[in-house]
Amino acid sequence: MLVAVGVGMFGVPFAFRTDVVQQLTTLCTLLIMAVMWNVLAGYGGLVSVGQQAFIGFGAYATIFLAQRGVAAYLAVVVASVASGLLAVVLAPLLLRLRGGQFAVGTWVVAEALALLVALDESLGGGTGVSLRGLNAIAPDWRSAYTYWLTLGFALLLLFLVFLLLRRRSGAAIQAIRDDEEAAASLGVRIMPLKFMLFVLAGFGCGAAGALTLANTLFVQPSSIFGVQWSAYMLFMVLVGGIGTYEGPILGAVLFFLLQDWFAQFGAWYLIGLGVVAILFALFLPRGLWSLAGDRLPFRLLPVGYTLRPGR
């Protein structure tokens, strides 16, 4: 079913106006961010408030490559891979931290990267920079190409997460989240699995940042490295259903609608998101998806393992 929906969505640019296509591109990037944060925190227990480090790195790596003659859309792909490589470099340091220390450590990395970019005049400094490589493409086609690339990344990452959770690694990852010491005593390889999750999330968030740049054509360190991205991801996952496959998808759609309706309220909008997230954590900790998932006679997207009583 997921494949059928994805194939149908590829026809969107032929049926809707350019502004609608751009909005759906934004929705796909939010979906990527939600799914990646859920992989870390919902399944791996790695609560990060610094994934904007990879979002910003992916965007500015695209600028860096485009300035050196790499085709813009190819630069988006290469920058996404480079974000995964950055996660490989950072993993040995950050994965030694636990709980609040890990959360703060990821945030410090994001702030350090933002400062380094702001000090680099070739990348626009603190005033920002444009992705000029896409200006030569007609707006309608540029919007369509960016949407198709974003949708392709979203489907790829959803498939990778689905594949990861359907294998024995899915149960092992959740065992690490629930009790790392107990999982280790049962022979679960803790560090390799956490490393895999961290790198996957780095790659996905880097792709989201690069695709956000391709959609907006302009980026600033203060916005692309802003901590609001972590707030958005946390909101989408908590409201949709943390630790579920379908929850972040539902949360991304809901957040997209709320963002469109209430963004004009500025800082109060962010405060409102925080209050709603707290209320869900207190009164509906399994998120909105639990209201539907518990009532379905079957699992929509079956991942993990289910114990059934013998007959």
Side-chain angles (χ1 to χ4, degrees), residues 31 88 174 193 210 212 256 275 291:
L31 171 61
V88 171
Q174 293 175 73
L193 287 172
T212 297
F256 173 76
V275 171
L291 299 178

Side-chain angles (χ1 to χ4, degrees), residues 13-97:
F14 300 110
F16 296 94
R17 301 190 313 269
T18 299
D19 60 330
V20 176
V21 175
Q22 290 177 329
Q23 288 294 314
L24 290 176
T25 302
T26 300
L27 173 58
C28 287
T29 56
L30 291 173
L31 171 61
I32 291 172
M33 294 179 195
V35 171
M36 291 299 96
W37 198 85
N38 187 52
V39 162
L40 275 179
Y43 287 109
L46 298 169
V47 179
S48 169
V49 293
Q51 288 307 107
Q52 62 270 17
F54 301 101
I55 294 172
F57 182 85
Y60 272 98
T62 302
I63 294 290
F64 178 84
L65 293 168
Q67 289 177 343
R68 283 150 183 80
V70 179
Y73 286 120
L74 177 59
V76 169
V77 176
V78 176
S80 304
V81 176
S83 298
L85 294 176
L86 175 65
V88 171
V89 173
L90 294 175
L93 172 64
L94 292 177
L95 292 182
R96 294 178 181 274
L97 307 176

Side-chain angles (χ1 to χ4, degrees), residues 250 287-298:
L250 180 60
L288 288 174
W289 178 249
S290 65
L291 299 178
D294 292 347
R295 290 166 172 77
L296 290 175
F298 57 89

Side-chain angles (χ1 to χ4, degrees), residues 13-298:
F14 300 110
F16 296 94
R17 301 190 313 269
T18 299
D19 60 330
V20 176
V21 175
Q22 290 177 329
Q23 288 294 314
L24 290 176
T25 302
T26 300
L27 173 58
C28 287
T29 56
L30 291 173
L31 171 61
I32 291 172
M33 294 179 195
V35 171
M36 291 299 96
W37 198 85
N38 187 52
V39 162
L40 275 179
Y43 287 109
L46 298 169
V47 179
S48 169
V49 293
Q51 288 307 107
Q52 62 270 17
F54 301 101
I55 294 172
F57 182 85
Y60 272 98
T62 302
I63 294 290
F64 178 84
L65 293 168
Q67 289 177 343
R68 283 150 183 80
V70 179
Y73 286 120
L74 177 59
V76 169
V77 176
V78 176
S80 304
V81 176
S83 298
L85 294 176
L86 175 65
V88 171
V89 173
L90 294 175
L93 172 64
L94 292 177
L95 292 182
R96 294 178 181 274
L97 307 176
R98 292 190 182 185
Q101 293 179 335
F102 176 80
V104 172
T106 56
W107 175 76
V108 169
V109 168
E111 292 298 309
L113 286 176
L115 180 61
L116 291 174
V117 169
L119 293 174
D120 191 336
E121 293 298 329
S122 68
L123 295 176
T127 60
V129 64
S130 298
L131 182 61
R132 298 187 181 93
L134 294 181
N135 289 335
I137 304 175
D140 289 349
W141 282 109
R142 181 177 67 222
S143 177
Y145 293 149
T146 303
Y147 169 77
W148 285 326
L149 184 59
T150 306
L151 181 60
F153 265 105
L155 292 176
L156 171 64
L157 290 167
L158 283 169
F159 174 75
L160 290 177
V161 173
F162 182 81
L163 189 64
L164 176 67
L165 297 176
R166 284 287 289 174
R167 298 170 63 87
R168 293 178 60 185
S169 56
I173 289 168
Q174 293 175 73
I176 295 173
R177 174 198 63 195
D178 295 336
D179 192 324
E180 188 169 318
E181 286 75 16
S185 69
L186 294 174
V188 175
R189 301 178 63 191
I190 305 295
M191 288 306 295
L193 287 172
K194 291 170 68 173
F195 177 85
M196 178 174 58
L197 292 180
F198 189 73
V199 172
L200 175 61
F203 167 73
C205 288
L211 292 163
T212 297
L213 170 64
N215 195 33
T216 61
L217 301 182
F218 182 79
V219 66
Q220 286 180 300
S222 59
S223 60
I224 200 66
F225 284 102
V227 74
Q228 77 273 4
W229 293 113
S230 285
Y232 296 163
M233 288 184 277
L234 188 149
F235 178 87
M236 290 185 285
V237 173
L238 281 183
V239 170
I242 189 169
T244 65
Y245 187 87
E246 302 88 350
I249 301 174
L250 180 60
V253 173
L254 178 62
F255 174 74
F256 173 76
L257 296 175
L258 292 175
Q259 187 181 49
D260 186 54
W261 291 337
F262 301 117
Q264 69 269 21
F265 293 106
W268 286 104
Y269 161 67
L270 293 176
I271 294 171
L273 289 181
V275 171
V276 172
I278 292 171
L279 291 175
F280 267 88
L282 291 175
F283 300 107
L284 194 62
R286 295 173 58 204
L288 288 174
W289 178 249
S290 65
L291 299 178
D294 292 347
R295 290 166 172 77
L296 290 175
F298 57 89

